[in-house]
Amino acid sequence: MNRIFNFNAGPSTLPLAVLEKAQQEFVDYQGKGMSILEMSHRSPEYSHVHQQAVSLVKELLELPDNYSVLFLGGGATMQFSMVPLNLLSQEKSCDFTLTGTWAKKALADAKKVGSVNLVYDGSADNFSSLPDPSDLKLDPQAAYLHLTSNETIGGLQWQSWPDAGQVPLVCDMSSDIMSRHLPPGKFGLIYAGAQKNLGPAGVGLVIIRDDVLDRCFTDLTAYLSYRIHAEKNSLYNTPPVFAIYLTKLVLENLKQSGGVKAAAKLCQQRSELLYGTVEQSAGFYSCPVPTLCRSKMNVVFRLPSQDLEKTFIAQAAEQGLGGLKGHRSVGGCRASIYNAMPIEGVEALVGFMQVFASRHG
Ligand SMILES: *Cc1c(COP(=O)(O)O)cnc(C)c1O
């Protein structure tokens, strides 16, 4: 076996122990003579997996009792539609922070449903920073306030949260969920595609507070309705069973390794190593993101020229350091260092960066 250190942005690296466990159980799940893929989603075995996945989310995020945890199809993008369809009426508008590529997509879908008030627009300066939450002029009557906690492409991450008062705070946490402590009760609705910190692509985690669930419209078609999914515990239809099973394994693994607190500490260590290496390179590497909003999940950096970036990415790949190319829309380099990235991977990367800089600087 020759696994590389995989810095892909998503789908991204998963804990090896999880892949091995899934492999071991794949063909014959717990002596049942069939795979979990072949089992009824109403079977006791799958029900247990499903319930475990839900309770691990609650436990790891220390969610108060007034939250429902849902696993839905369609990844995070489905939630770009479902949030406004469930919560944005004709009478109200929602507040939105436009912080990068992902917020832009969420915004475009919300606009198709109702009226949107931009409380922050980073497009003029090319999404190079984030606002101070206390500077946002929020509408106290808004249906909700939408944030993207970590802009996966731009490498920006909110470090503190706005006070939205009675307005539900809705947050796309696709690329940093389970990487830091969340203030209990703060968020009205959290959603995340699983393929960064949670598991395989295709499944979306939705965490919704009871009072927000109560505000959801009742006249939606079944699959689009949070109420129906919450009432049926995400078993209204056949859920993405295998993705939920793998997510459960990832969450168990996280719990065993010390939970969100330990994960946050590791995120700090990984990101300090990388940003430190960029800072100490005498300008060979540069990070376009201001220190105050740098992401601990996606570290974006540039080299002196695009040619050098190409060489860097190719030579890194030869050393078993994969996925370092920046997103096609922005270029440059990006190291995604999610929960499952071992610290050894980051040490290997910074070692390579130092050697590369001394050869080409
Ligand atoms: C990856 C990502 C998405 C999209 O997730 P899909 O599962 O592909 O729909 C949305 N928001 C953020 C912040 C992301 O990183």
Side-chain angles (χ1 to χ4, degrees), residues 130-261:
L130 291 174
D132 181 332
S134 56
D135 290 344
L136 299 173
K137 302 259 176 309
L138 302 174
D139 170 7
Q141 300 301 322
Y144 57 89
L145 164 64
H146 186 281
L147 304 184
T148 308
S149 61
N150 182 68
E151 284 285 358
T152 320
I153 292 173
L156 303 156
Q157 188 176 29
W158 290 83
Q159 310 297 326
S160 58
W161 312 108
D163 180 4
Q166 294 305 303
V167 173
L169 192 51
V170 173
C171 193
D172 175 358
M173 293 194 190
S174 295
S175 50
D176 67 354
I177 188 137
M178 300 288 170
S179 75
R180 54 171 159 176
H181 172 77
L182 300 177
K186 175 91 189 167
F187 294 90
L189 191 153
I190 294 168
Y191 63 91
Q195 68 274 32
K196 282 96 185 199
N197 258 345
L198 292 175
V203 66
L205 167 68
V206 176
I207 299 166
I208 184 166
R209 208 172 53 208
D210 286 349
D211 59 294
V212 179
L213 198 55
D214 287 342
R215 295 182 196 211
C216 290
F217 307 130
T218 51
D219 58 352
L220 292 159
T221 55
Y223 200 82
L224 296 176
S225 167
Y226 288 132
R227 284 171 178 274
I228 290 190
H229 290 299
E231 265 164 38
K232 303 289 180 190
N233 187 26
S234 310
L235 289 157
Y236 172 75
N237 70 327
T238 321
V241 289
F242 196 61
I244 295 171
Y245 158 75
L246 271 168
T247 300
K248 185 211 85 153
L249 294 184
V250 170
L251 295 172
E252 269 173 357
N253 183 272
L254 177 60
K255 185 179 164 178
Q256 278 158 15
S257 47
V260 169
K261 204 168 176 188

Side-chain angles (χ1 to χ4, degrees), residues 29 82 85 131 184 190 266 304 321 335:
Y29 186 75
M82 281 181 73
L85 285 169
I190 294 168
L266 274 170
L321 304 163

Side-chain angles (χ1 to χ4, degrees), residues 10 17 23 59 107 109 124-125 145 166 231 238 265 280 305 350:
Q23 182 182 45
E59 183 184 339
L107 171 73
D109 279 352
D125 65 355
L145 164 64
Q166 294 305 303
E231 265 164 38
T238 321
K265 212 167 139 194
Q280 286 150 28
S305 72
V350 301

Side-chain angles (χ1 to χ4, degrees), residues 278-279 281 283-289 294 300-304 309:
V278 168
E279 295 304 327
S281 69
F284 183 79
Y285 301 105
S286 60
C287 174
V289 183
R294 285 182 179 171
V300 298
F301 57 96
R302 309 278 333 203
L303 276 70
E309 284 168 350

